[in-house]
Amino acid sequence: MPHIFVQSTRLWFTDAGTGPTIILIHGFPLDSRIWDEVVPLLTPTRRVITLDLRGFGQSDETGSFSMRQLAFDVAGFITLQKIGPCCVAGLSMGGYVAQELASESHELLSHLILLDTKAESDNPDAQNKRNEMAAIAREQGAKAVADQMMPKMLSRNHSAAVEGKLRTIMESQRPETIASACIAMRDRETYLPTLEKMSIPVDIIVGEEDAISSPELMRFMHERINYGRMFEIPGAGHLSPMENPQAVAKAILMGTENL
Ligand code: MLT
């Protein structure tokens, strides 16, 4: 699978299928492997691109970055590949990147899908927790971060296989990248004003048992959006594409049937 230079950084991506283009953006502290089970369900009718954000997965390590930088990377990718306007779907931190992209470069988007994410910025308590998590990453490494996050990521009755894969993905991320992402998330602005004025469809997808971005929180977002549908995914927590890929793929296909 290929790499591409965007903003002087080598980003790793996969590209499969035919049809309208959807770019899938992973969450924190993860990489494109969270979409492994969803991609083959979409590719018969969609061109599906997964992207490892800078520093994550197989993309090159860089210094510190902001949420805006991550969005510039996606904008650069869309421009270089000449695939805009297209659909961008982001999960959790990937949803922050997608919303940042919507506020900076909305002309590159035809459709936005927000999975298990939030629109509002961190309050002071959440910001302190970001600082603590950044310190844990730097001082104790990715495994200690995974230990902290694991209990909040999956539904009550999750499978051991999904838990094992999720842990493998989290533990393989670079501690410096994890710390930089914590600081970038800590400093992000609210995206509610952007969502409220979006004139393209914005779909919401949330695991019924998401303990980080609850269905209530995401319904609040949905109610502020002009066009778009909301899908609740049964048997899934925060990592809905890993826990119920069939239902997530169905929601993505239904939401984008008019692309
Ligand atoms: C994620 O899954 O990307 C994170 O939980 C996002 C966050 O901590 O705000």
Side-chain angles (χ1 to χ4, degrees), residues 76 83 120 122 136 138 151 178 192 228 238:
I83 51 175
E120 286 170 284
D122 282 2
I136 290 172
R138 289 201 177 102
I178 297 177
L192 271 181
H238 190 55

Side-chain angles (χ1 to χ4, degrees), residues 26-30 91-96 115-118 122 130 133 149 152-153 185 188 210 212-213 238-239:
H26 63 82
F28 164 90
L30 305 164
L91 179 129
S92 201
M93 183 183 75
Y96 307 154
L115 299 95
D116 301 286
T117 191
K118 299 175 200 147
D122 282 2
R130 300 289 189 199
M133 190 68 93
M149 293 201 66
K152 291 180 289 187
M153 298 294 252
M185 289 193 285
R188 74 188 193 282
D210 189 334
I212 296 177
S213 318
H238 190 55
L239 266 294

Side-chain angles (χ1 to χ4, degrees), residues 28-219:
F28 164 90
L30 305 164
D31 61 38
S32 295
R33 285 175 285 177
I34 68 162
W35 304 109
D36 281 352
E37 315 303 326
V38 171
V39 170
L41 303 173
L42 300 177
T43 48
T45 53
R46 304 285 188 275
R47 178 179 178 190
V48 183
I49 291 170
T50 68
L51 193 61
D52 281 353
L53 295 169
R54 62 171 56 217
F56 290 94
Q58 298 181 61
S59 288
D60 282 355
E61 191 173 3
T62 61
S64 60
F65 49 79
S66 61
M67 212 48 69
R68 184 161 296 179
Q69 175 68 61
L70 298 180
F72 279 157
D73 289 345
V74 179
F77 180 87
I78 294 173
T79 306
L80 283 168
Q81 297 283 72
K82 299 187 175 60
I83 51 175
C86 65
C87 173
V88 171
L91 179 129
S92 201
M93 183 183 75
Y96 307 154
V97 174
Q99 292 173 87
E100 192 83 41
L101 183 65
S103 72
E104 292 295 318
S105 310
H106 60 91
E107 72 286 353
L108 297 176
L109 299 174
S110 60
H111 196 120
L112 199 60
I113 303 178
L114 301 174
L115 299 95
D116 301 286
T117 191
K118 299 175 200 147
E120 286 170 284
S121 52
D122 282 2
N123 62 29
D125 184 43
Q127 290 183 320
N128 287 336
K129 292 203 173 84
R130 300 289 189 199
N131 293 335
E132 284 164 21
M133 190 68 93
I136 290 172
R138 289 201 177 102
E139 289 158 21
Q140 301 172 45
K143 181 177 180 313
V145 172
D147 288 345
Q148 293 248 333
M149 293 201 66
M150 240 10 244
K152 291 180 289 187
M153 298 294 252
L154 299 171
S155 66
R156 274 186 307 277
N157 297 320
H158 63 264
S159 81
V162 167
E163 178 176 336
K165 178 166 180 175
L166 181 59
R167 191 170 260 287
T168 301
I169 298 173
M170 288 203 272
E171 291 186 3
S172 66
Q173 304 307 320
R174 302 172 180 100
E176 247 336 290
T177 299
I178 297 177
S180 296
C182 288
I183 303 307
M185 289 193 285
R186 178 196 72 188
D187 294 341
R188 74 188 193 282
E189 310 276 336
T190 174
Y191 302 120
L192 271 181
T194 297
L195 285 185
E196 283 167 354
K197 58 175 195 264
M198 294 289 289
S199 54
I200 58 170
V202 182
D203 290 333
I204 297 286
I205 298 177
V206 60
E208 266 179 5
E209 296 180 44
D210 189 334
I212 296 177
S213 318
S214 66
E216 291 70 32
L217 213 65
M218 295 209 72
R219 193 163 301 111

Side-chain angles (χ1 to χ4, degrees), residues 218-233:
M218 295 209 72
R219 193 163 301 111
F220 174 80
M221 289 166 71
H222 173 63
E223 282 162 3
R224 271 143 197 85
I225 292 167
N226 295 316
Y227 314 99
R229 300 162 79 166
M230 176 159 173
F231 303 90
E232 291 194 28
I233 306 299

